[in-house]
Amino acid sequence: MKAVAVRKGETNPTIVEKPRPDPDAGEALVRTLRVGVDGTDHEVLSGAHGGFPDGEDHLVLGHEAVGVVADPNGTDLTEGEVVVPTVRRAPDGGNEYFERGEPDMAPEGEYHERGIVGAHGFMAEYFTSPAESLVSIPPELADLGFLVEPVSITEKALEHAYAARSAFDWQPESAMVLGNGSLGLLTLAMFEHTEGFDRTYCLGRRDRPDPTIDIIEDLGATYVDSRRTPVDEVADAHEGMDLVYEATGYAKHAYQTIDALAPNGVGALLGVPESWEFEIDGGKLHNEFVLHNKALVGSVNSHVGHFESAVETLAALPDPFLDDLVTGVYGLDDLDRAFDDDDTTIKTAVELAAYEKR
Ligand code: NAP
Ligand code: BGC
Ligand code: ZN
């Protein structure tokens, strides 16, 4: 079968031939339909994030997948069921986080992430997965099922952010997304359509005309240009935000978020930056945290429960937004376009097989 991989020493995706995998006991064989591409895939390609499976000279890419069960292999799944796989798998021997169903809380070194670190991904004609790591989705969502994983990332981050504000009567009205990439825009759509904030903002660093700014404004949010309004000046320009969701991976934003928050606000940090040393006024930030009851939470990955919520959320997002977000779905013969990183590309996916309803 064909798979899309990055070879050691290279930074571009390549099509490789691999044997079709055989499911072990408890695993199903899945025929892959589509696999989304996000900023993490670009970080994996550049070598900034992730790592190869032990003893392998390549990594099959892809962690945002949707497929159809080809062989349930004695599991509770049904042939033809449309499924989305979770990303983390237990390293040899397993551990308590996986046993508890909370692999997303496992510390580094205690998990593999398919297509990212230590395990091949889903960008292949077939993949196998333990049945408990496959989440069933309605067939109507098959075409957009590759968005379930990124939506699940925000389901988790919001759960943790709201939990950090659960000890008092928190009534958030305003929310700001930092970053107009695919994760940022999906999250902004959730703020508008499923989270119900009164005032929403999205920060980028682009000039008009730009398709992401059009999406932001079509959603009813305000575009904020970080070149004119740095994150630590947002509160002066627009009032402090009850919630800030960082999806830029720009390390200064983690600290500037503290200043962008309203009293009692919470910031969720999602970005995965490389090392960068810079000066901050630690005393001022410490004081700001304490005297205004602010919170910051970091959040990575997501578990089955977040995927299940994400399926409902995705179904509630408006079609015009999703049409604008997904700028291209490409076959293997047009692979390079799926990995384009220009300003007209927002969310892409690679199609391995078309969905045929039974
Ligand atoms: P992406 O497509 O690269 O989006 C990042 C966006 O942030 C880009 O649109 C970029 O703008 C914008 N940006 C970067 N620096 C900025 C600045 N200084 N001011 C304003 N805008 C800025 O990536 P993504 O897929 O949306 O993911 C976003 C981040 O979340 C990445 O760091 C990714 O690794 C991380 N992530 C984390 C998780 C998790 O589980 N924690 C899950 C998924 C993704 P331009 O395009 O104009 O440069
Ligand atoms: C993936 C997560 C993963 C994270 C860190 C994200 O792009 O969606 O599942 O945990 O990268 O590797
Ligand atoms: Zn991702």
Side-chain angles (χ1 to χ4, degrees):
M1 67 166 189
K2 290 188 169 31
V4 178
V6 59
R7 293 202 182 95
K8 268 191 184 159
E10 296 183 1
T11 54
N12 283 319
T14 324
I15 298 174
V16 297
E17 272 297 330
K18 292 178 75 83
R20 184 192 290 192
D22 272 332
D24 288 335
E27 290 187 335
L29 177 71
V30 180
R31 176 83 167 106
T32 314
L33 296 172
R34 292 179 172 184
V35 182
V37 175
D38 75 352
T40 301
D41 296 302
H42 289 282
E43 291 160 10
V44 168
L45 282 167
S46 73
H49 181 58
F52 293 84
D54 276 350
E56 298 274 338
D57 63 358
H58 68 284
L59 171 75
V60 176
L61 296 166
H63 61 278
E64 301 178 349
V66 56
V68 171
V69 175
D71 177 5
N73 192 36
T75 65
D76 289 342
L77 295 161
T78 314
E79 189 181 341
E81 203 172 334
V82 184
V83 289
V84 170
T86 63
V87 175
R88 286 198 174 171
R89 297 291 178 272
D92 280 348
N95 58 53
E96 59 189 295
Y97 301 97
F98 284 83
E99 283 155 23
R100 282 204 296 267
E102 295 176 344
D104 55 307
M105 300 309 289
E108 266 187 310
E110 299 208 35
Y111 59 79
H112 292 152
E113 288 184 341
R114 295 200 55 171
I116 301 176
V117 61
H120 288 305
F122 305 118
M123 208 175 273
E125 290 178 282
Y126 290 86
F127 65 84
T128 55
S129 172
E132 69 268 17
S133 302
L134 293 170
V135 176
S136 190
I137 71 166
E140 308 83 76
L141 286 182
D143 283 349
L144 289 174
F146 61 89
L147 295 176
V148 170
E149 197 273 347
V151 171
S152 78
I153 294 295
T154 299
E155 299 285 355
K156 172 184 171 176
L158 295 184
E159 184 182 24
H160 284 250
Y162 295 166
R165 307 290 76 191
S166 64
F168 67 103
D169 183 15
W170 190 51
Q171 303 206 358
E173 292 173 356
S174 56
M176 180 174 216
V177 175
L178 309 182
N180 50 342
S182 55
L183 182 65
L185 293 174
L186 265 175
T187 301
L188 186 68
M190 290 167 69
F191 285 178
E192 286 290 340
H193 290 281
T194 58
E195 301 300 314
F197 289 101
D198 295 339
R199 289 184 293 123
T200 55
Y201 302 81
C202 186
L203 176 121
R205 53 179 176 189
R206 305 251 189 106
D207 294 323
R208 290 185 170 81
D210 177 82
T212 68
I213 301 176
D214 291 342
I215 291 180
I216 292 165
E217 293 177 345
D218 287 348
L219 282 169
T222 301
Y223 173 62
V224 177
D225 186 331
S226 69
R227 297 166 300 181
R228 282 184 210 105
T229 312
V231 176
D232 55 357
E233 292 175 21
V234 156
D236 301 326
H238 300 280
E239 296 180 27
M241 301 291 153
D242 295 315
L243 173 69
V244 172
Y245 182 101
E246 178 271 319
T248 54
Y250 186 80
K252 283 189 181 173
H253 288 169
Y255 304 94
Q256 294 178 332
T257 288
I258 299 164
D259 281 325
L261 290 171
N264 304 339
V266 58
L269 307 182
L270 279 290
V272 182
E274 291 186 75
S275 169
W276 181 17
E277 286 185 24
F278 48 81
E279 280 187 17
I280 54 172
D281 183 341
K284 180 172 164 288
L285 291 179
H286 187 163
N287 183 293
E288 190 63 30
F289 253 128
V290 172
L291 293 186
H292 296 107
N293 288 295
K294 294 180 178 179
L296 280 186
V297 294
S299 181
V300 69
N301 197 248
S302 52
H303 61 50
V304 166
H306 303 124
F307 273 67
E308 288 168 350
S309 305
V311 175
E312 282 179 33
T313 298
L314 181 59
L317 295 182
D319 290 338
F321 161 72
L322 295 166
D323 288 346
D324 290 343
L325 182 82
V326 180
T327 48
V329 177
Y330 304 102
L332 290 179
D333 49 354
D334 218 1
L335 186 62
D336 288 350
R337 295 183 68 193
F339 287 89
D340 270 350
D341 206 7
D342 57 40
D343 283 1
T344 59
T345 304
I346 305 177
K347 185 71 186 178
T348 60
V350 175
E351 183 166 84
L352 284 305
Y355 178 57
E356 285 165 24
K357 200 162 186 235
R358 287 155 181 271

